[in-house]
Amino acid sequence: MGFKKLIDSKKTQSLFAVLVLSGTNMLMAQSTGGTALDGSTTDKGVMWGSVAYYIMLFLVLCLGIAVFGKILKIYDLTQKMQGKKGLNWNNIMGICCLIFLVAGMYGAYWSLTVQGSMKLPVSASIHGVAIDDMFDLTTVLTLIVFVITQFLLFGFLFMYRGSDKRKAYFLPHNNTIEKVWTIIPAIVLTILVVFGFFTWQKVMDTTPEKGDLNIDVTGHQFAWELRYPGPDGKLGDLDFRLSSPLNVLGIDYKDRNSFDDLRADTLVLPVNKVIRLNIHAQDVIHSVYMPHFRVQLNAVPGLPTFFKFTPTITTARMRQITDNPNFEYLLYCNKICGGGHYNMQKVVRVVSQAEYQDWIARQKPYLTDQLKQQLKMPVAPALAPVAVAAGQDKSSSNRLALNK
């Protein structure tokens, strides 16, 4: 009767109609591929493009299981009404546990083999290798515990299912078992925590090193702005109150270190050199995310942060590794910061030291002539060619040039 009432319920029928209509509508929303982190395109076949489809599929599956259960219940009652022995529900539940165990193990295997292929790409930084080792160790240990506990859980449910031939034995307390399942997990977790602590300590080492390359990365809706130090190797101060169309970053030119700061459209990094990214945000919370380098840190307005890392694989070498001639490292925003969030990408290129020196020499300073005029700073006039008279001596020519 309860099941009949559920079927006849107007709410249930209305919900089913909505799911059918939404599901029919979403069947047309299909995607045939995507873009991987290495820039290559993937074609996984036709995939349904909506969560509504999976919700409907899950509800239909639940409904099918409920109907099957009701059919078994009716069959059991029919057998009893005919004076026959009814279904042994303990055996049925035990078999269901075995089926669930097999299906669950296959699901775990599928997740590791299929979904596991979508893990982070090869690490291209020194600290990234340590993070990957920590992740792999944690995954292996938890996988071992998962397999053992699932086999024990569902295996015991099947082996010791209810039976008229034996009586259940109740074990209210056992000190040995309590010690085992408390001490062993405590030791394992302690090892993982200590390992993680020392790894994180190395990653977040703030000790300044001679030769560190300081680069400013500033996020705003919806772009990243880059600033490199000039020949003096130092970045000038920033003050958001100084921001203007010509001075997007709000560089404080009262600090003489700012005069030679350089702008760049591409984040170019020399290989095997310590990089310090000084992270800023001008409006909302953004997040600097470079998966190949295992770099991710929030960019918070009013709270400058930084991240140090050392790239180890050049872009050219990674193109060989990925067999993708168009491969580029990318800097993403990993916070949903607004409607144009998807557009916050910046190409990151790792090159040799010689290539970096050649590239940095071609970058232009932030302090342009227009900005100098806005800041009421003296602008050097363009030098006109000096024609030296035929009878003019060398010292006179030098004096004229110096006066210029």
Side-chain angles (χ1 to χ4, degrees):
M1 292 297 292
F3 184 70
K4 184 178 179 180
K5 288 181 179 179
L6 179 64
I7 295 297
D8 292 338
S9 171
K10 293 183 178 180
K11 292 182 179 179
T12 303
Q13 293 175 359
S14 300
L15 177 62
F16 182 74
V18 169
L19 289 173
V20 169
L21 289 174
S22 62
T24 303
N25 185 42
M26 294 304 174
L27 287 179
M28 300 301 175
Q30 303 173 5
S31 61
T32 57
T35 302
L37 286 171
D38 61 1
S40 61
T41 57
T42 57
D43 186 3
K44 298 292 186 181
V46 176
M47 296 180 62
W48 307 119
S50 173
V51 176
Y53 171 80
Y54 294 101
I55 294 176
M56 187 178 70
L57 191 65
F58 175 74
L59 292 177
V60 170
L61 180 61
C62 291
L63 184 63
I65 294 174
V67 170
F68 182 71
K70 285 295 181 181
I71 292 174
L72 287 180
K73 187 68 175 177
I74 293 171
Y75 174 76
D76 183 47
L77 291 174
T78 303
Q79 289 291 95
K80 290 180 179 179
M81 289 174 64
Q82 295 176 356
K84 299 179 181 179
K85 188 176 180 180
L87 295 174
N88 188 331
W89 288 99
N90 291 325
N91 286 339
I92 292 175
M93 293 304 296
I95 294 172
C96 287
C97 287
L98 282 184
I99 294 173
F100 192 87
L101 174 63
V102 174
M105 288 295 105
Y106 175 76
Y109 169 78
W110 178 85
S111 179
L112 288 172
T113 54
V114 177
Q115 302 296 335
S117 63
M118 300 191 306
K119 65 181 182 179
L120 287 172
V122 59
S123 174
S125 65
I126 292 177
H127 79 271
V129 175
I131 289 179
D132 288 353
D133 290 342
M134 185 173 62
F135 180 83
D136 292 340
L137 176 61
T138 304
T139 302
V140 169
L141 290 177
T142 53
L143 184 62
I144 292 173
V145 173
F146 168 77
V147 172
I148 292 175
T149 54
Q150 296 309 300
F151 270 97
L152 289 177
L153 174 62
F154 294 103
F156 272 55
L157 285 173
F158 176 77
M159 291 175 58
Y160 299 104
R161 62 191 181 276
S163 173
D164 297 335
K165 298 179 180 179
R166 60 172 177 261
K167 181 183 286 189
Y169 174 71
F170 294 95
L171 184 66
H173 184 74
N174 186 292
N175 287 331
T176 302
I177 294 178
E178 293 282 351
K179 291 176 183 177
V180 168
W181 70 35
T182 300
I183 295 174
I184 293 179
I187 293 174
V188 174
L189 289 175
T190 300
I191 294 173
L192 292 178
V193 169
V194 171
F195 183 30
F197 171 77
F198 286 112
T199 301
W200 185 246
Q201 192 178 43
K202 292 179 181 178
V203 171
M204 299 305 293
D205 182 13
T206 59
T207 305
E209 298 180 28
K210 186 177 181 180
D212 288 3
L213 175 58
N214 276 276
I215 304 172
D216 270 5
V217 178
T218 302
H220 61 83
Q221 295 173 315
F222 296 97
W224 295 106
E225 303 291 340
L226 304 175
R227 183 172 65 131
Y228 280 75
D232 63 358
K234 297 179 181 179
L235 289 169
D237 294 334
L238 295 178
D239 188 341
F240 72 94
R241 292 169 294 187
L242 301 176
S243 299
S244 67
L246 293 177
N247 187 9
V248 177
L249 298 180
I251 300 174
D252 186 359
Y253 287 102
K254 294 179 182 178
D255 182 358
R256 298 188 64 85
N257 292 326
S258 303
F259 291 173
D260 62 352
D261 289 350
L262 306 172
R263 67 168 68 242
D265 292 327
T266 302
L267 184 57
V268 177
L269 308 173
V271 70
N272 296 323
K273 187 177 181 67
V274 179
I275 308 297
R276 174 182 164 126
L277 291 182
N278 303 300
I279 300 170
H280 308 269
Q282 292 183 326
D283 37 37
V284 299
I285 296 178
H286 300 279
S287 183
V288 170
Y289 178 48
M290 296 188 290
H292 287 88
F293 305 106
R294 306 302 189 262
V295 172
Q296 179 176 323
L297 199 64
N298 285 349
V300 183
L303 184 64
T305 53
F306 70 91
F307 198 107
K308 292 176 65 175
F309 69 102
T310 304
T312 56
I313 304 177
T314 64
T315 300
R317 175 59 183 151
M318 188 60 80
R319 287 173 179 173
Q320 295 176 352
I321 293 174
T322 59
D323 195 22
N324 178 13
N326 299 318
F327 170 86
E328 294 286 3
Y329 294 116
L330 290 174
L331 162 61
Y332 301 94
C333 176
N334 208 24
K335 284 284 186 293
I336 300 179
C337 53
H341 160 72
Y342 69 94
N343 199 39
M344 286 193 68
Q345 296 185 16
K346 184 71 73 174
V347 172
V348 182
R349 197 159 291 154
V350 181
V351 297
S352 66
Q353 184 65 35
E355 290 173 315
Y356 173 77
Q357 293 297 341
D358 179 65
W359 173 84
I360 199 69
R362 292 182 277 107
Q363 304 312 302
K364 297 180 179 179
Y366 262 99
L367 189 58
T368 61
D369 288 343
Q370 288 180 310
L371 185 54
K372 286 181 179 180
Q373 292 176 356
Q374 177 181 304
L375 299 174
K376 298 180 180 179
M377 298 172 65
V379 179
L383 296 178
V386 180
V388 181
Q392 191 175 16
D393 61 10
K394 185 176 180 181
S395 61
S396 175
S397 174
N398 289 339
R399 186 163 56 252
L400 284 173
L402 184 63
N403 290 337
K404 284 288 185 182

